[in-house]
Amino acid sequence: MEDNRKKRTKAPDRPLTPKKLKLLVTVVNKNKAEFYVDFLQQYEINLQLQMRAMGTAGSELLHYLGLEESEKQVIFSIVREDMAPAALRGLEEKFATLKGGKGIAYTVPLSSAMGVAIYQFLSNNQMSGKDKK
């Protein structure tokens, strides 16, 4: 008698749970914004949005923080949770060493993404053609 059942193949090694995402918010001087957008791409960030902003703190506080220029750019980046610490460390290093490159950066956890394709894009987890069904 011949066994007509399909043989099961081992599933590819994929994490059982999806990687969590975070919103990375970076506030920098307007003239350095493009530098930071380019810099952050090395942390597998696929989506970044920029907004113009104006500083509102008093001039003494701005001087203390090294943020004298009042025209700012806020960069919103979606980063995987596992890449967020490295991105923050990289930003911290650039804030300390780049002339006129001071800024502020922090992350906010995201709780959901609408749809598998959007999640895969945001997490830089594109499926190959053979994985799609």
Side-chain angles (χ1 to χ4, degrees), residues 89-117:
R89 279 192 304 275
L91 286 168
E92 183 177 18
E93 180 183 322
K94 294 296 179 191
F95 292 160
T97 59
L98 191 65
K99 184 175 180 173
K102 302 233 184 273
I104 299 169
Y106 59 92
T107 60
V108 178
L110 298 177
S111 60
S112 65
M114 184 76 83
V116 174

Side-chain angles (χ1 to χ4, degrees), residues 37-88:
V37 167
D38 291 340
F39 173 76
L40 287 169
Q41 288 180 356
Q42 69 182 308
Y43 299 102
E44 299 185 31
I45 294 172
N46 282 343
L47 178 68
Q48 297 190 74
L49 304 170
Q50 295 185 54
M51 298 179 87
R52 289 177 40 185
M54 293 293 289
T56 59
S59 61
E60 185 177 312
L61 180 59
L62 287 173
H63 179 72
Y64 176 75
L65 295 173
L67 302 171
E68 290 88 3
E69 187 178 319
S70 62
E71 262 193 285
K72 305 290 179 206
Q73 198 81 353
V74 181
I75 305 165
F76 297 98
S77 310
I78 304 295
V79 63
R80 283 193 334 252
E81 185 177 52
D82 61 325
M83 295 298 285
L88 287 170

